[in-house]
Amino acid sequence: MLYIIGLGLADERDITVKGLEAVKSSERVYLESYTSILMVNKERLEEFYGKEVLIAHRETVESFSDDILKDADKVNISFLVVGDPFGATTHTDLVIRAHELGIEVKSIHNASIMNAVGATGLQLYSFGQTISVVFFTESWRPDSFYDRIKENSTLGLHTLCLLDIKVREQSIENMMRNRPIYEPPRYMTVNQAVDQLLEVEEKRKEKAYTEDTLAVGVSRLGSDDQVIKAGTLKQLLDVDFGEPLHSLVLVGHRIHLLEAEILRENAVDLEHLNLVLKRDYNVDK
Amino acid sequence: MLYIIGLGLADERDITVKGLEAVKSSERVYLESYTSILMVNKERLEEFYGKEVLIAHRETVESFSDDILKDADKVNISFLVVGDPFGATTHTDLVIRAHELGIEVKSIHNASIMNAVGATGLQLYSFGQTISVVFFTESWRPDSFYDRIKENSTLGLHTLCLLDIKVREQSIENMMRNRPIYEPPRYMTVNQAVDQLLEVEEKRKEKAYTEDTLAVGVSRLGSDDQVIKAGTLKQLLDVDFGEPLHSLVLVGHRIHLLEAEILRENAVDLEHLNLVLKRDYNVDK
């Protein structure tokens, strides 16, 4: 049996009881480490589980699904995923491969940013499609997210923006020389994301959003030191959200009173928030 | 401290380790029972927790938040919610009331249908807004969901349809006589939802969807006997999804190859699915 187990958002105790039982029953335990990160390290997981945890890098999973699935017809194997098992397509590959090999697969669900973002007070049923913001480079500044945000904002819907994570990046030199040397991990901050968003709006000028658009920045959602701050994009440029992971939500115009109430509790600047709610969102107290 | 704890989707072992610890530390434990249901009963939860579980009905929570919050400044209180704590606005009320009383609130996240629906193979970032389908009555056949689905389908996005649950319904007679007698719970099936959807399309005729639209019906997601079946709406009218809870996803036209691959694995009728994918969704093998 292959168990694909969601670890949830923050630490080792966010696993479900069912998930923990599956880990304890497994011969080998892999931790997926390329689409998201937990806020605790492998050693803490190993101590909590009482067994070794193998790190599955992207290259491992894509080239060596069969290694992960070895003997899974006879013994239990656990594949741990930060958030929920269905957050990333790569696990879909693993599942399809398992099915080809006739190996039974069971997924154990958990929270992911896709539903936990409800903690912002914005209602999940008023979100449109989710977008990803990747780190711009000198030569590569992909802005297709802009069209998606515009589609959502035209309908008055909120947009969850998932921010880029770079783990096991290789420098061009190391890549060309095929040296397995990796750069330190990088996590996009809310500030960087807002900066890139505003750069694209500056270029496109279609008002999918502006620097006065209300947004909510979140970091370390689900942990004891989570931060949730609401303000205009311009205001969020300068808010320190601390350690990763960060995410960003753009607030749509269909916002209702109860949602606005929670934004106020998390306001960077309550007076200015109320002004923008009234002026641009038609929400009065 | 007020803990609002997500129980996840299926049974007592879907609670997180962190959530279980909070329950065990609590003086009183309430189970919210009006926006969703777990697949196990209160007694099984009580046995698993080793303590009494009080049922919080809608009327309790809305009229008596203060009862639930009694002494929460001195002892721990747990409020259990099926799925994730932020699935329903009613908890928002409870949180706001707790804040007014100066009581600390901690939410413990879990899976909900909003992210677990990724188990259909459809990518979460390609979903538009979520809609609710309520039981039609003779005189009340609300179809505002139609406009929402149309907005999503125009953009090519998938739509998650949450299906109605009626618990503690009163007959009109019992309500008028103020008798606390309740009807048996009712849960909308995929078949009923599809029937209502097609009735509204028949009336509106704007082709937000048709009986040839591809959809995925799911039931008891996250449990060992979960059912996931893909087909046209017309086909899903006759598929038996068994016990509750049921949900439905309408497939948008932006579907990509990997998503289609998983639909095929769950096809009611593979040949017909391939025909529709090719003819209406521009997806060839």
Side-chain angles (χ1 to χ4, degrees), chain A:
Chain A
M1 169 87 79
L2 171 69
Y3 287 108
I4 305 188
I5 303 170
L7 294 184
L9 294 162
D11 64 44
E12 72 281 6
R13 295 181 308 126
D14 285 323
I15 195 171
T16 64
V17 172
K18 196 178 276 178
L20 185 58
E21 288 171 0
V23 168
K24 287 188 185 286
S25 79
S26 290
E27 195 93 343
R28 298 193 310 281
V29 179
Y30 295 90
L31 172 63
E32 183 260 25
S33 70
Y34 46 87
T35 56
S36 190
I37 53 154
L38 209 62
M39 295 168 213
V40 294
N41 59 25
K42 173 175 107 91
E43 287 68 31
R44 198 146 140 199
L45 292 181
E46 288 181 327
E47 196 183 325
F48 187 66
Y49 301 151
K51 59 175 64 184
E52 190 189 4
V53 172
L54 306 160
I55 300 288
H57 294 295
R58 184 184 282 272
E59 58 265 41
T60 314
V61 179
E62 286 179 357
S63 327
F64 305 120
S65 282
D66 290 1
D67 280 3
I68 291 175
L69 295 170
K70 184 166 173 290
D71 297 331
D73 53 336
K74 295 186 283 287
V75 299
N76 290 342
I77 306 294
S78 283
F79 186 78
L80 310 179
V81 176
V82 177
D84 187 67
F86 295 98
T89 37
T90 321
H91 320 131
T92 310
D93 296 343
L94 188 63
V95 171
I96 289 175
R97 184 66 186 137
H99 287 177
E100 284 168 2
L101 296 170
I103 292 164
E104 202 183 344
V105 179
K106 192 171 285 184
S107 295
I108 299 178
H109 290 284
N110 210 320
S112 67
I113 183 69
M114 305 294 268
N115 70 338
V117 70
T120 57
L122 298 170
Q123 292 299 315
L124 292 176
Y125 54 72
S126 296
F127 279 71
Q129 57 204 312
T130 299
I131 62 133
S132 297
V133 184
V134 301
F135 281 114
F136 283 177
T137 66
E138 280 303 308
S139 56
W140 195 58
R141 304 175 97 71
D143 64 1
S144 62
F145 64 76
Y146 188 85
D147 301 299
R148 305 283 92 77
I149 296 176
K150 195 177 168 194
E151 289 168 346
N152 289 342
S153 72
T154 301
L155 298 175
L157 300 173
H158 313 312
T159 303
L160 170 61
C161 309
L162 302 177
L163 310 188
D164 203 3
I165 295 175
K166 293 281 188 204
V167 288
R168 286 173 72 88
E169 263 186 308
Q170 280 178 298
S171 66
I172 289 173
E173 196 189 337
N174 284 328
M175 202 184 297
M176 285 173 65
R177 293 179 187 229
N178 207 15
R179 289 189 297 214
I181 299 171
Y182 301 96
E183 304 301 304
R186 292 190 296 150
Y187 309 99
M188 188 181 285
T189 65
V190 167
N191 316 125
Q192 290 170 316
V194 171
D195 189 57
Q196 291 193 182
L197 258 63
L198 292 177
E199 175 188 315
V200 175
E201 172 59 42
E202 181 63 28
K203 190 177 78 182
R204 302 279 295 264
K205 292 193 198 313
E206 300 167 35
K207 298 223 188 278
Y209 49 83
T210 71
E211 60 176 29
D212 286 332
T213 294
L214 291 178
V216 187
V218 301
S219 66
R220 296 179 307 292
L221 201 59
S223 75
D224 281 344
D225 64 347
Q226 72 178 18
V227 177
I228 301 179
K229 286 287 177 195
T232 63
L233 282 176
K234 190 178 179 184
Q235 286 176 322
L236 293 186
L237 264 181
D238 299 317
V239 175
D240 182 5
F241 285 89
E243 296 296 303
L245 292 178
H246 294 188
S247 304
L248 177 69
V249 182
L250 302 183
V251 178
H253 282 84
R254 276 194 205 159
I255 184 173
H256 63 60
L257 289 172
L258 204 57
E259 293 178 288
E261 188 62 34
I262 309 280
L263 290 192
R264 288 191 188 100
E265 293 198 6
N266 298 318
V268 174
D269 172 346
L270 183 57
E271 201 178 335
H272 191 68
L273 181 74
N274 279 326
L275 184 154
V276 177
L277 277 171
K278 190 172 175 179
R279 185 191 65 197
D280 300 342
Y281 288 79
N282 204 23
V283 176
D284 215 334
K285 274 192 200 177

Side-chain angles (χ1 to χ4, degrees), chain B residues 76-90:
Chain B
N76 290 341
I77 306 295
S78 283
F79 187 78
L80 309 179
V81 176
V82 177
D84 186 66
F86 295 98
T89 37
T90 320

Side-chain angles (χ1 to χ4, degrees), chain B residues 175-209:
Chain B
M175 203 185 294
M176 285 173 66
R177 295 179 186 227
N178 207 17
R179 289 189 298 216
I181 299 172
Y182 302 97
E183 304 301 304
R186 292 191 296 150
Y187 308 100
M188 188 182 286
T189 64
V190 167
N191 315 126
Q192 290 170 316
V194 171
D195 189 55
Q196 293 194 183
L197 257 62
L198 291 177
E199 175 188 318
V200 175
E201 173 58 42
E202 182 63 26
K203 191 177 78 184
R204 301 278 296 264
K205 294 194 195 318
E206 300 167 35
K207 298 222 188 277
Y209 49 83

